[in-house]
Amino acid sequence: MRAVAVLSLLCLVAASSCQSHDLDKLMVTVLVLGQTTYGDVVLYKVNAYKYGFPFFVRTSIIKYPERGKYNFAYIRAIHIKDNDYDGSGGYPSISAGGIGQRFVKVKLKSQRGGGLNFTVTIYGRYLFPF
Ligand SMILES: *[C@@H]1O[C@H](CO)[C@@H](O)[C@H](O)[C@H]1NC(C)=O
């Protein structure tokens, strides 16, 4: 898991968004941002699925907290798992907020003509962001 985190971090630094297909070669299908430690809890977990349309790129935006809700917890880690293991999966990225903040917007994008199936898990803690 530590190696995965480091890989993802490098990837983030390089491109600010991670393309899971590059990582597929390394058998990595989870994008891990941040680190969880004792006291962190799952704030939100959601599965995002969209089937593919020929020639189309499907996108899905995951917002935490959900519209109309308020979140008091600081986000410590975000795990984005691509459930398509065969390289047909999508491209996850963070388009707003993130680690150390109380909101995040995750953008999930499919390959052209492909579908997407991601599980996004957000970990955090109440009170302090450290
Ligand atoms: C998405 O992936 C999950 C985990 O592998 C699986 O259980 C689920 O059936 C998939 N969803 C669809 C609609 O294929």
Side-chain angles (χ1 to χ4, degrees):
M1 219 50 185
R2 186 162 291 253
V4 173
V6 170
L7 266 179
S8 304
L9 221 70
L10 288 176
C11 198
L12 261 192
V13 170
S16 91
S17 82
C18 219
Q19 304 202 330
S20 64
H21 313 289
D22 301 336
L23 295 177
D24 276 346
K25 291 166 201 143
L26 303 164
M27 305 299 288
V28 176
T29 51
V30 185
L31 172 59
V32 178
L33 305 172
Q35 257 186 339
T36 52
T37 48
Y38 182 77
D40 292 337
V41 295
V42 173
L43 300 173
Y44 189 60
K45 184 169 181 172
V46 69
N47 201 79
Y49 172 79
K50 273 190 179 170
Y51 53 85
F53 269 138
F55 312 116
F56 277 86
V57 172
R58 309 296 311 271
T59 56
S60 197
I61 306 283
I62 305 293
K63 279 185 194 158
Y64 176 78
E66 289 167 324
R67 183 182 282 277
K69 291 191 180 161
Y70 194 80
N71 167 41
F72 292 96
Y74 288 95
I75 295 169
R76 296 259 307 162
I78 301 164
H79 293 193
I80 305 172
K81 182 167 168 283
D82 194 333
N83 294 317
D84 292 315
Y85 299 110
D86 58 0
S88 69
Y91 306 97
S93 62
I94 306 293
S95 53
I99 310 300
Q101 304 193 53
R102 285 177 300 189
F103 74 101
V104 68
K105 206 163 124 185
V106 177
K107 190 173 176 193
L108 306 170
K109 216 171 118 185
S110 78
Q111 292 184 43
R112 189 166 295 278
L116 54 82
N117 183 354
F118 284 97
T119 304
V120 178
T121 314
I122 298 169
Y123 298 86
R125 58 172 56 199
Y126 292 86
L127 299 177
F128 305 108
F130 44 80

